[in-house]
Amino acid sequence: MKILKSFLLLAIAAALVSCTTVKVVSDVDKTIDFTQYKTFSFLGWQENSDRLLNDLDKNRLHEAFGNELEARGLSYVESDGDMDITLFVVVDRKTTVTAYNNYYGGGYGGYGRYGGGWGYGSGTTTYSESDYVEGTLVMDAFDGKTKNQIWQGVATSTINENPAKREQSIPKKVAELMYKFPVKKQ
């Protein structure tokens, strides 16, 4: 029974880690009218952070950001866009620890006004560790003419190491990041 409970606990912990949502924060230059931007171009990856990604995931990210920006009325151009986009990624290996405590107790209470009693108890704590990969994706948007930063979005989430799952999860996570972009989807 104890093994079954430990296995169930591990399964629940793994499910929770794999289903984590994206934590998104953003910052914006509130003096900018974002409707003035009609085109965008990708400047590349900051500090060569793309070396952490394979070509398929880089293409998935570019396509996902392109789709999100186009859904907001912007058109992609190879260079000299009204808005320039850079991307940055950080990947960390992390470990989560889960503790499960079993406590068993019992006792006997005496009879009468001065009845004595006795009790007993025991407990065990089981620990389990689960390794996972957490990624942080940063999108910076710059005014194409002034080169001033006008928006930043940061998304942090658990990375699914299964390529088939990333094909589905990358566009969803980028959409969550872009939800905070000043121009909403049309």
Side-chain angles (χ1 to χ4, degrees), residues 109-117:
Y111 294 103
R113 186 173 176 192
Y114 299 105

Side-chain angles (χ1 to χ4, degrees), residues 18-120:
S18 66
C19 296
T20 59
T21 58
V22 179
K23 178 184 175 193
V24 177
V25 293
S26 67
D27 196 5
V28 64
D29 182 342
K30 292 182 174 131
T31 65
I32 300 294
D33 174 15
F34 279 80
T35 61
Q36 71 179 317
Y37 300 107
K38 303 300 179 204
T39 62
F40 71 95
S41 55
F42 285 109
L43 293 181
W45 293 84
Q46 292 181 3
E47 299 179 22
N48 296 316
S49 68
D50 62 326
R51 287 191 255 166
L52 299 170
L53 303 171
N54 63 41
D55 288 340
L56 294 170
D57 284 339
K58 285 189 264 187
N59 290 337
R60 288 176 183 127
L61 285 163
H62 271 255
E63 183 178 341
F65 276 110
N67 290 340
E68 288 292 325
L69 290 164
E70 287 172 358
R72 288 163 171 77
L74 294 154
S75 299
Y76 174 73
V77 293
E78 285 286 326
S79 61
D80 299 323
D82 299 331
M83 182 185 301
D84 290 325
I85 305 297
T86 62
L87 301 174
F88 181 80
V89 67
V90 177
V91 176
D92 291 318
R93 295 209 173 270
K94 296 197 170 196
T95 301
T96 184
V97 178
T98 304
Y100 179 74
N101 190 345
N102 289 328
Y103 178 76
Y104 304 98
Y108 169 77
Y111 294 103
R113 186 173 176 192
Y114 299 105
W118 55 271
Y120 65 92

Side-chain angles (χ1 to χ4, degrees), residues 27-28 32 34 72 150-151 178-184:
D27 196 5
V28 64
I32 300 294
F34 279 80
R72 288 163 171 77
I150 56 175
W151 188 78
M178 292 298 293
Y179 182 76
K180 296 210 174 193
F181 194 73
V183 179
K184 299 303 174 199

